[in-house]
Amino acid sequence: MAEISPKILIPESFQLSSGDIAEQIGLIWKLIKAPLIVPLLNLGVYVCLAMSLMLFVERVYMGIVIILIKLFWKKPEKRYKFEPIQDDEELGGSNFPVVLVQIPMFNEREVYKISIGAACGLSWPSDRLVIQVLDDSTDPVIKQMVEQECRTWASKGINIVYQIRETRGGYKAGALKEGLKRSYVKNCEYVVIFDADFRPEPDFLRRSIPFLVHNPDIGLVQARWRFVNADECLLTRMQEMSLDYHFKVEQEVGSATYAFFGFNGTAGIWRIAAINEAGGWKDRTTVEDMDLAVRASLRGWKFVYLGGLQVKSELPSTFKAFRFQQHRWSCGPANLFRKMVWEIATNKKVKFWKKVYVIYSFFFVRKVIAHMVTFLFYCVVLPLTILIPEVEVPVWGAVYIPSIITILNSVGTPRSIHLLFYWILFENVMSLHRTKGTLIGLLEAGRVNEWVVTEKLGDTLKKQEAAKKANVKAPRKFCSRFKFADRLNILELGFAAFLFLCGCYDFVHGKNNYFVYLFLQAITFFITGIGYVGTII
């Protein structure tokens, strides 16, 4: 049987040259543009404008409340009963409660000495303090080093225990939960948690424990983070601006108005009874700290935030570590929101307005809307409206509202006001990863339970501090310490190309001059795409 030519199987209308194919694509585009593409993009604009207004109202509300707090609210020492615990030679340390200090660790070669030394230096009677080093390290050399450090402090009379597990199940939550099961913990009333890079001042417990001692309805006292490497590079400066707003505004407002805020996972003191009543540590999400805080709040426990009590800590100084951290911080809350929204809504112990605050403000606006509107509006929808001029974005939505939101977000770090514009561009880039993490959390997709421990570089920090003391200027360097191939981020490079093309189109055919923003945003995506995020400034 003779072979049948493939040509006779293809309709004659589809046997086209390359020029004809381009014409056909153009014709198809014209046919679907008006009835399909334009309405969908218009819908996207309306949805983004609605989310922008929600975020705008939230930021204005937070701004008004924080001003009222600064002007009229009493400080925590005045709002709650607070009396310093006095040393008594006759009673010894018996008038001090027994406090457990937990330090969870995982291969912390660079910072284990810093955190253990700071915990052992706390000003508290030695017989009323138990330090528990929860080491989940997989590197036997590091485990041996940490254990030896604990033995060294134990030989000096410090009550310190080196604790390991056979498996790393539950990650940090599993380690903390396992630590509370030990028999010697039964005598402890409170537990303070410090991540491996945190260095509390000696008076930390004396300034925080009295709130718990004299106020039986308080379950948590949270201190503020202070970043010792904020000036290391542009990347850390950007992080400082974002986190300062969280600590100076969001935590303050939550504490002063609803006595609720998310536990930051470290530099906080829990009443152990509150942990037990809330059901203990759970590892169902990657934000075990927020999970515990929400459950404890639903059972009536109050929280106090002490903005004046600061604990030194370290910011991620590599873009790779920062990306992993941001994935966990965006995916975890979204997943917790999915799991707990109905439980919060039907809870009978919490007042209606507190439930509205937790569901709408704390979770929906800050943990979902804030990430998604930044990425969808400024990196997707707005650039697409340039390619499709039939769809317009009102100036108030594209310029005025975002500008006010940005100004309100930046009030926490006035020293970095000159970096404001670059911070906006960088936040837009990070919104890509935060949106992806949020969607993964809401949908419980593949990486929902991914936990990557944030890399810490404590030895670098010590060298910088030594240089400052010696009045020697530290050498300029890049935060990222990887080979060029390891720095490449394809997703960012793809968006850089997309925004650059949109900018070129707007430069030639546009009328709103958005190309200035698009080119700058494309450059920022490109810089992060090749891994060179921040040099020393």
Side-chain angles (χ1 to χ4, degrees):
M1 184 175 179
E3 290 188 4
I4 300 175
S5 173
K7 291 185 179 180
I8 67 174
L9 300 178
I10 302 174
E12 185 177 345
S13 59
F14 287 92
Q15 297 178 22
L16 306 171
S17 65
S18 59
D20 292 333
I21 292 175
E23 290 180 5
Q24 286 289 338
I25 293 175
L27 179 61
I28 293 172
W29 173 251
K30 289 180 181 179
L31 288 174
I32 67 172
K33 182 178 179 181
L36 181 62
I37 303 300
V38 171
L40 284 177
L41 191 54
N42 270 319
L43 177 62
V45 170
Y46 297 146
V47 170
C48 288
L49 288 176
M51 291 193 294
S52 292
L53 286 173
M54 294 167 67
L55 185 59
F56 171 74
V57 172
E58 166 76 6
R59 291 296 186 258
V60 171
Y61 162 75
M62 300 285 279
I64 293 173
V65 173
I66 196 64
I67 291 173
L68 294 175
I69 289 173
K70 297 300 182 182
L71 293 178
F72 304 110
W73 256 253
K74 295 179 180 178
K75 292 184 177 181
E77 291 81 1
K78 301 293 184 181
R79 293 202 310 270
Y80 301 95
K81 293 180 181 178
F82 181 87
E83 294 181 11
I85 303 177
Q86 302 295 336
D87 293 295
D88 192 310
E89 293 183 1
E90 295 182 0
L91 296 176
S94 61
N95 59 328
F96 286 78
V98 181
V99 178
L100 172 69
V101 179
Q102 289 186 317
I103 310 175
M105 290 190 173
F106 179 74
N107 293 336
E108 307 289 0
R109 178 188 295 271
E110 307 295 345
V111 294
Y112 74 94
K113 284 189 176 183
I114 296 174
S115 57
I116 293 175
C120 293
L122 290 170
S123 177
W124 203 256
S126 58
D127 61 331
R128 313 296 284 179
L129 186 68
V130 181
I131 299 173
Q132 193 180 64
V133 178
L134 305 170
D135 191 11
D136 276 355
S137 298
T138 54
D139 188 326
V141 176
I142 297 177
K143 291 177 73 171
Q144 185 177 3
M145 293 164 62
V146 175
E147 184 176 11
Q148 181 57 48
E149 183 70 11
C150 293
R151 288 177 178 173
T152 300
W153 282 103
S155 66
K156 298 178 182 179
I158 302 297
N159 189 3
I160 185 170
V161 180
Y162 178 72
Q163 204 77 55
I164 60 174
R165 299 187 293 164
E166 293 184 1
T167 65
R168 202 177 160 227
Y171 301 108
K172 181 179 175 181
L176 296 172
K177 183 177 182 178
E178 186 69 23
L180 291 178
K181 292 180 180 179
R182 303 301 170 180
S183 58
Y184 55 83
V185 175
K186 294 180 180 179
N187 297 323
C188 300
E189 297 179 57
Y190 312 108
V191 55
V192 55
I193 301 164
F194 295 117
D195 282 352
D197 59 311
F198 277 70
R199 289 170 275 175
E201 298 295 331
D203 64 348
F204 179 86
L205 295 179
R206 292 179 180 266
R207 295 176 60 183
S208 55
I209 292 294
F211 284 99
L212 294 161
V213 171
H214 301 298
N215 300 274
D217 56 342
I218 292 178
L220 165 68
V221 176
Q222 174 70 59
R224 179 184 157 195
W225 300 359
R226 176 184 171 192
F227 312 112
V228 296
N229 65 331
D231 291 328
E232 183 179 357
C233 61
L234 196 55
L235 174 62
T236 53
R237 288 291 287 271
M238 299 298 100
Q239 294 176 67
E240 180 192 37
M241 293 180 72
S242 300
L243 288 171
D244 274 353
Y245 178 83
H246 169 69
F247 283 107
K248 292 184 178 181
V249 179
E250 291 179 343
Q251 297 293 72
E252 285 279 9
V253 171
S255 177
T257 55
Y258 299 96
F260 170 79
F261 49 84
F263 173 45
N264 294 121
T266 178
I269 310 97
W270 276 96
R271 189 186 300 273
I272 294 181
I275 295 178
N276 294 334
E277 186 180 337
W281 292 102
K282 294 184 179 181
D283 60 356
R284 56 181 175 172
T285 70
T286 56
V287 284
E288 74 295 322
D289 44 12
M290 187 181 296
D291 187 352
L292 177 61
V294 174
R295 286 185 282 114
S297 180
L298 293 180
R299 284 159 179 77
W301 291 100
K302 295 181 179 179
F303 305 157
V304 176
Y305 172 70
L306 302 179
L309 181 58
Q310 301 181 12
V311 181
K312 295 178 182 178
S313 63
E314 180 182 337
L315 292 164
S317 56
T318 67
F319 187 54
K320 182 178 180 181
F322 182 56
R323 283 179 63 183
F324 280 125
Q325 183 199 68
Q326 292 304 296
H327 171 80
R328 189 171 76 247
W329 285 7
S330 56
C331 178
N335 190 233
L336 182 63
F337 180 48
R338 170 194 170 111
K339 294 179 185 298
M340 293 204 68
V341 61
W342 182 248
E343 182 180 348
I344 298 169
T346 57
N347 185 275
K348 296 182 179 180
K349 291 185 178 181
V350 177
K351 294 181 180 179
F352 172 76
W353 288 112
K354 185 172 183 177
K355 288 193 284 187
V356 171
Y357 174 79
V358 175
I359 293 175
Y360 176 77
S361 180
F362 181 79
F363 273 115
F364 187 60
V365 176
R366 294 187 221 165
K367 311 303 182 186
V368 178
I369 294 298
H371 302 326
M372 298 184 70
V373 69
T374 303
F375 171 67
L376 293 177
F377 198 11
Y378 305 110
C379 300
V380 178
V381 172
L382 190 62
L384 286 177
T385 61
I386 292 170
L387 301 179
I388 305 175
E390 292 88 344
V391 180
E392 293 187 4
V393 179
V395 177
W396 61 264
V399 180
Y400 301 144
I401 294 296
S403 298
I404 296 173
I405 292 174
T406 301
I407 292 171
L408 292 174
N409 283 345
S410 65
V411 296
T413 318
R415 79 185 189 97
S416 298
I417 197 68
H418 62 290
L419 299 173
L420 182 60
F421 192 74
Y422 183 76
W423 178 63
I424 298 171
L425 299 174
F426 179 72
E427 284 292 291
N428 288 348
V429 173
M430 293 311 303
S431 69
L432 164 64
H433 300 285
R434 292 168 184 152
T435 298
K436 185 171 65 173
T438 299
L439 292 175
I440 289 173
L442 290 174
L443 301 175
E444 284 200 317
R447 294 174 59 199
V448 67
N449 291 317
E450 180 184 68
W451 182 287
V452 178
V453 176
T454 305
E455 178 192 28
K456 304 172 186 71
L457 303 170
D459 59 341
T460 302
L461 302 181
K462 288 188 288 185
K463 291 177 182 178
Q464 289 182 343
E465 290 177 359
K468 287 181 180 179
K469 291 180 180 179
N471 292 322
V472 177
K473 188 175 181 180
R476 297 173 64 88
K477 58 182 177 297
F478 288 101
C479 277
S480 190
R481 297 174 176 83
F482 298 98
K483 295 180 180 179
F484 180 76
D486 297 328
R487 291 195 181 104
L488 288 179
N489 302 300
I490 303 301
L491 201 55
E492 284 88 340
L493 292 175
F495 267 94
F498 166 67
L499 294 173
F500 179 75
L501 291 175
C502 292
C504 291
Y505 185 89
D506 187 57
F507 179 76
V508 176
H509 303 288
K511 57 183 178 180
N512 294 319
N513 294 326
Y514 287 150
F515 66 86
V516 177
Y517 156 73
L518 291 170
F519 285 149
L520 291 173
Q521 189 66 73
I523 291 171
T524 309
F525 266 103
F526 178 76
I527 292 172
T528 54
I530 61 175
Y532 289 96
V533 180
T535 54
I536 291 289
I537 50 177

